PDB file of all heavy atoms in Angstrom:
ATOM      1  N   HIS A 462      82.515 106.250  98.965  1.00 90.00           N
ATOM      2  CA  HIS A 462      82.789 106.984  97.674  1.00 90.00           C
ATOM      3  C   HIS A 462      83.714 106.249  96.747  1.00 90.00           C
ATOM      4  O   HIS A 462      83.845 106.592  95.570  1.00 90.00           O
ATOM      5  CB  HIS A 462      83.219 108.395  98.016  1.00 90.00           C
ATOM      6  CG  HIS A 462      82.261 109.215  98.736  1.00 90.00           C
ATOM      7  ND1 HIS A 462      80.954 109.424  98.272  1.00 90.00           N
ATOM      8  CD2 HIS A 462      82.309 109.873  99.879  1.00 90.00           C
ATOM      9  CE1 HIS A 462      80.290 110.157  99.111  1.00 90.00           C
ATOM     10  NE2 HIS A 462      81.210 110.471 100.145  1.00 90.00           N
ATOM     11  N   TYR A 463      84.501 105.297  97.281  1.00 92.00           N
ATOM     12  CA  TYR A 463      85.461 104.595  96.435  1.00 92.00           C
ATOM     13  C   TYR A 463      85.043 103.107  96.234  1.00 92.00           C
ATOM     14  O   TYR A 463      84.950 102.599  95.084  1.00 92.00           O
ATOM     15  CB  TYR A 463      86.840 104.718  96.974  1.00 92.00           C
ATOM     16  CG  TYR A 463      87.868 103.970  96.226  1.00 92.00           C
ATOM     17  CD1 TYR A 463      87.869 103.921  94.831  1.00 92.00           C
ATOM     18  CD2 TYR A 463      88.946 103.296  96.858  1.00 92.00           C
ATOM     19  CE1 TYR A 463      88.858 103.233  94.145  1.00 92.00           C
ATOM     20  CE2 TYR A 463      89.937 102.625  96.131  1.00 92.00           C
ATOM     21  CZ  TYR A 463      89.850 102.550  94.779  1.00 92.00           C
ATOM     22  OH  TYR A 463      90.824 101.897  94.135  1.00 92.00           O
ATOM     23  N   PRO A 466      80.968 102.315  94.888  1.00 91.00           N
ATOM     24  CA  PRO A 466      80.627 102.480  93.434  1.00 91.00           C
ATOM     25  C   PRO A 466      81.284 101.465  92.600  1.00 91.00           C
ATOM     26  O   PRO A 466      80.817 101.217  91.473  1.00 91.00           O
ATOM     27  CB  PRO A 466      81.225 103.862  93.166  1.00 91.00           C
ATOM     28  CG  PRO A 466      81.247 104.586  94.442  1.00 91.00           C
ATOM     29  CD  PRO A 466      81.529 103.562  95.444  1.00 91.00           C
ATOM     30  N   ASN A 467      82.335 100.798  92.984  1.00 90.00           N
ATOM     31  CA  ASN A 467      82.957  99.701  92.232  1.00 90.00           C
ATOM     32  C   ASN A 467      82.248  98.351  92.479  1.00 90.00           C
ATOM     33  O   ASN A 467      82.276  97.524  91.630  1.00 90.00           O
ATOM     34  CB  ASN A 467      84.340  99.597  92.576  1.00 90.00           C
ATOM     35  CG  ASN A 467      85.293 100.696  91.974  1.00 90.00           C
ATOM     36  OD1 ASN A 467      85.598 100.643  90.756  1.00 90.00           O
ATOM     37  ND2 ASN A 467      85.624 101.699  92.727  1.00 90.00           N
ATOM     38  N   ASP A 471      74.457 101.869  90.728  1.00 86.00           N
ATOM     39  CA  ASP A 471      73.830 103.028  91.253  1.00 86.00           C
ATOM     40  C   ASP A 471      72.487 102.641  91.823  1.00 86.00           C
ATOM     41  O   ASP A 471      72.075 103.132  92.857  1.00 86.00           O
ATOM     42  CB  ASP A 471      73.731 104.104  90.299  1.00 86.00           C
ATOM     43  CG  ASP A 471      75.055 104.814  89.948  1.00 86.00           C
ATOM     44  OD1 ASP A 471      75.996 104.600  90.741  1.00 86.00           O
ATOM     45  OD2 ASP A 471      75.180 105.436  88.931  1.00 86.00           O
ATOM     46  N   GLU A 759      92.043 111.731  87.895  1.00 84.00           N
ATOM     47  CA  GLU A 759      92.305 110.635  88.899  1.00 84.00           C
ATOM     48  C   GLU A 759      90.980 110.177  89.579  1.00 84.00           C
ATOM     49  O   GLU A 759      90.754 108.971  89.804  1.00 84.00           O
ATOM     50  CB  GLU A 759      93.307 111.123  89.993  1.00 84.00           C
ATOM     51  CG  GLU A 759      94.714 111.350  89.425  1.00 84.00           C
ATOM     52  CD  GLU A 759      95.305 110.108  89.002  1.00 84.00           C
ATOM     53  OE1 GLU A 759      94.991 109.026  89.417  1.00 84.00           O
ATOM     54  OE2 GLU A 759      96.194 110.211  88.037  1.00 84.00           O
ATOM     55  N   ALA A 760      90.104 111.171  89.832  1.00 83.00           N
ATOM     56  CA  ALA A 760      88.798 110.764  90.431  1.00 83.00           C
ATOM     57  C   ALA A 760      87.943 109.966  89.497  1.00 83.00           C
ATOM     58  O   ALA A 760      87.307 109.023  89.868  1.00 83.00           O
ATOM     59  CB  ALA A 760      87.989 112.100  90.709  1.00 83.00           C
ATOM     60  N   LEU A 761      87.985 110.295  88.187  1.00 85.00           N
ATOM     61  CA  LEU A 761      87.215 109.489  87.249  1.00 85.00           C
ATOM     62  C   LEU A 761      87.790 108.007  87.057  1.00 85.00           C
ATOM     63  O   LEU A 761      87.146 107.087  86.828  1.00 85.00           O
ATOM     64  CB  LEU A 761      87.218 110.178  85.829  1.00 85.00           C
ATOM     65  CG  LEU A 761      86.421 111.484  85.695  1.00 85.00           C
ATOM     66  CD1 LEU A 761      86.590 112.027  84.345  1.00 85.00           C
ATOM     67  CD2 LEU A 761      85.025 111.273  86.168  1.00 85.00           C
ATOM     68  N   LYS A 762      89.167 107.938  87.217  1.00 81.00           N
ATOM     69  CA  LYS A 762      89.824 106.609  87.172  1.00 81.00           C
ATOM     70  C   LYS A 762      89.238 105.822  88.382  1.00 81.00           C
ATOM     71  O   LYS A 762      89.104 104.602  88.266  1.00 81.00           O
ATOM     72  CB  LYS A 762      91.264 106.729  87.213  1.00 81.00           C
ATOM     73  CG  LYS A 762      91.875 107.205  85.946  1.00 81.00           C
ATOM     74  CD  LYS A 762      93.360 107.447  85.998  1.00 81.00           C
ATOM     75  CE  LYS A 762      94.180 106.090  86.304  1.00 81.00           C
ATOM     76  NZ  LYS A 762      95.611 106.401  86.341  1.00 81.00           N
ATOM     77  N   LEU A 763      89.083 106.417  89.551  1.00 77.00           N
ATOM     78  CA  LEU A 763      88.622 105.649  90.766  1.00 77.00           C
ATOM     79  C   LEU A 763      87.175 105.271  90.638  1.00 77.00           C
ATOM     80  O   LEU A 763      86.784 104.253  91.068  1.00 77.00           O
ATOM     81  CB  LEU A 763      88.863 106.563  91.917  1.00 77.00           C
ATOM     82  CG  LEU A 763      90.315 106.844  92.297  1.00 77.00           C
ATOM     83  CD1 LEU A 763      90.345 107.713  93.525  1.00 77.00           C
ATOM     84  CD2 LEU A 763      91.160 105.584  92.560  1.00 77.00           C
ATOM     85  N   ASN A 764      86.334 106.159  90.005  1.00 79.00           N
ATOM     86  CA  ASN A 764      84.889 105.972  89.967  1.00 79.00           C
ATOM     87  C   ASN A 764      84.457 106.250  88.549  1.00 79.00           C
ATOM     88  O   ASN A 764      84.129 107.424  88.152  1.00 79.00           O
ATOM     89  CB  ASN A 764      84.212 106.892  91.015  1.00 79.00           C
ATOM     90  CG  ASN A 764      82.713 106.613  90.947  1.00 79.00           C
ATOM     91  OD1 ASN A 764      82.207 105.707  90.278  1.00 79.00           O
ATOM     92  ND2 ASN A 764      81.945 107.443  91.746  1.00 79.00           N
ATOM     93  N   ARG A 765      84.395 105.265  87.728  1.00 78.00           N
ATOM     94  CA  ARG A 765      83.962 105.447  86.298  1.00 78.00           C
ATOM     95  C   ARG A 765      82.512 105.886  86.145  1.00 78.00           C
ATOM     96  O   ARG A 765      82.117 106.411  85.182  1.00 78.00           O
ATOM     97  CB  ARG A 765      84.216 104.202  85.511  1.00 78.00           C
ATOM     98  CG  ARG A 765      85.666 103.656  85.423  1.00 78.00           C
ATOM     99  CD  ARG A 765      86.480 104.640  84.534  1.00 78.00           C
ATOM    100  NE  ARG A 765      87.808 104.190  84.292  1.00 78.00           N
ATOM    101  CZ  ARG A 765      88.208 103.451  83.267  1.00 78.00           C
ATOM    102  NH1 ARG A 765      87.322 103.168  82.355  1.00 78.00           N
ATOM    103  NH2 ARG A 765      89.461 103.082  83.110  1.00 78.00           N
ATOM    104  N   LYS A 766      81.758 105.700  87.253  1.00 80.00           N
ATOM    105  CA  LYS A 766      80.347 106.126  87.174  1.00 80.00           C
ATOM    106  C   LYS A 766      80.106 107.465  87.873  1.00 80.00           C
ATOM    107  O   LYS A 766      78.973 107.801  88.257  1.00 80.00           O
ATOM    108  CB  LYS A 766      79.443 105.040  87.841  1.00 80.00           C
ATOM    109  CG  LYS A 766      79.591 103.709  87.132  1.00 80.00           C
ATOM    110  CD  LYS A 766      78.704 102.638  87.757  1.00 80.00           C
ATOM    111  CE  LYS A 766      78.721 101.316  87.092  1.00 80.00           C
ATOM    112  NZ  LYS A 766      77.842 100.266  87.677  1.00 80.00           N
ATOM    113  N   ALA A 767      81.134 108.169  88.116  1.00 82.00           N
ATOM    114  CA  ALA A 767      81.080 109.448  88.889  1.00 82.00           C
ATOM    115  C   ALA A 767      80.118 110.476  88.199  1.00 82.00           C
ATOM    116  O   ALA A 767      80.193 110.596  87.019  1.00 82.00           O
ATOM    117  CB  ALA A 767      82.434 110.058  89.027  1.00 82.00           C
ATOM    118  N   LYS A 768      79.277 111.078  88.988  1.00 83.00           N
ATOM    119  CA  LYS A 768      78.446 112.190  88.558  1.00 83.00           C
ATOM    120  C   LYS A 768      79.121 113.495  88.915  1.00 83.00           C
ATOM    121  O   LYS A 768      79.976 113.521  89.645  1.00 83.00           O
ATOM    122  CB  LYS A 768      77.039 112.072  89.099  1.00 83.00           C
ATOM    123  CG  LYS A 768      76.351 110.768  88.802  1.00 83.00           C
ATOM    124  CD  LYS A 768      74.935 110.676  89.498  1.00 83.00           C
ATOM    125  CE  LYS A 768      74.188 109.385  89.118  1.00 83.00           C
ATOM    126  NZ  LYS A 768      72.930 109.326  89.817  1.00 83.00           N
ATOM    127  N   TRP A 771      79.071 114.225  92.468  1.00 78.00           N
ATOM    128  CA  TRP A 771      80.045 113.422  93.262  1.00 78.00           C
ATOM    129  C   TRP A 771      81.433 114.127  93.142  1.00 78.00           C
ATOM    130  O   TRP A 771      82.159 114.143  94.142  1.00 78.00           O
ATOM    131  CB  TRP A 771      80.124 111.986  92.778  1.00 78.00           C
ATOM    132  CG  TRP A 771      81.016 111.083  93.552  1.00 78.00           C
ATOM    133  CD1 TRP A 771      80.591 110.346  94.621  1.00 78.00           C
ATOM    134  CD2 TRP A 771      82.360 110.827  93.250  1.00 78.00           C
ATOM    135  NE1 TRP A 771      81.757 109.620  95.081  1.00 78.00           N
ATOM    136  CE2 TRP A 771      82.819 109.850  94.166  1.00 78.00           C
ATOM    137  CE3 TRP A 771      83.260 111.180  92.319  1.00 78.00           C
ATOM    138  CZ2 TRP A 771      84.076 109.304  94.232  1.00 78.00           C
ATOM    139  CZ3 TRP A 771      84.509 110.646  92.305  1.00 78.00           C
ATOM    140  CH2 TRP A 771      84.908 109.781  93.232  1.00 78.00           C
ATOM    141  N   LEU A 772      81.831 114.501  91.914  1.00 82.00           N
ATOM    142  CA  LEU A 772      83.089 115.171  91.764  1.00 82.00           C
ATOM    143  C   LEU A 772      83.116 116.531  92.545  1.00 82.00           C
ATOM    144  O   LEU A 772      84.214 116.773  93.128  1.00 82.00           O
ATOM    145  CB  LEU A 772      83.307 115.473  90.214  1.00 82.00           C
ATOM    146  CG  LEU A 772      83.473 114.229  89.362  1.00 82.00           C
ATOM    147  CD1 LEU A 772      83.407 114.599  87.875  1.00 82.00           C
ATOM    148  CD2 LEU A 772      84.762 113.535  89.655  1.00 82.00           C
ATOM    149  N   ASN A 775      83.635 115.663  96.315  1.00 72.00           N
ATOM    150  CA  ASN A 775      84.910 115.028  96.689  1.00 72.00           C
ATOM    151  C   ASN A 775      86.086 115.982  96.364  1.00 72.00           C
ATOM    152  O   ASN A 775      87.178 115.795  97.071  1.00 72.00           O
ATOM    153  CB  ASN A 775      85.107 113.689  95.998  1.00 72.00           C
ATOM    154  CG  ASN A 775      84.268 112.609  96.565  1.00 72.00           C
ATOM    155  OD1 ASN A 775      84.709 112.017  97.534  1.00 72.00           O
ATOM    156  ND2 ASN A 775      83.056 112.444  96.146  1.00 72.00           N
ATOM    157  N   TRP A 807      82.255 106.661  82.384  1.00 83.00           N
ATOM    158  CA  TRP A 807      83.059 107.488  81.619  1.00 83.00           C
ATOM    159  C   TRP A 807      84.027 106.638  80.739  1.00 83.00           C
ATOM    160  O   TRP A 807      84.583 105.663  81.235  1.00 83.00           O
ATOM    161  CB  TRP A 807      83.928 108.374  82.568  1.00 83.00           C
ATOM    162  CG  TRP A 807      83.132 109.436  83.245  1.00 83.00           C
ATOM    163  CD1 TRP A 807      82.593 109.326  84.466  1.00 83.00           C
ATOM    164  CD2 TRP A 807      82.743 110.703  82.728  1.00 83.00           C
ATOM    165  NE1 TRP A 807      81.937 110.517  84.829  1.00 83.00           N
ATOM    166  CE2 TRP A 807      82.048 111.399  83.774  1.00 83.00           C
ATOM    167  CE3 TRP A 807      83.063 111.328  81.485  1.00 83.00           C
ATOM    168  CZ2 TRP A 807      81.539 112.680  83.518  1.00 83.00           C
ATOM    169  CZ3 TRP A 807      82.563 112.637  81.356  1.00 83.00           C
ATOM    170  CH2 TRP A 807      81.750 113.265  82.356  1.00 83.00           C
TER     171      TRP A 807
END
Side-chain angles (χ1 to χ4, degrees):
H462 298 303
Y463 177 38
N467 284 282
D471 290 344
E759 293 297 331
L761 294 179
K762 286 174 66 178
L763 297 179
N764 183 5
R765 295 293 184 95
K766 298 181 179 181
K768 299 179 179 179
W771 185 88
L772 293 170
N775 284 273
W807 290 96

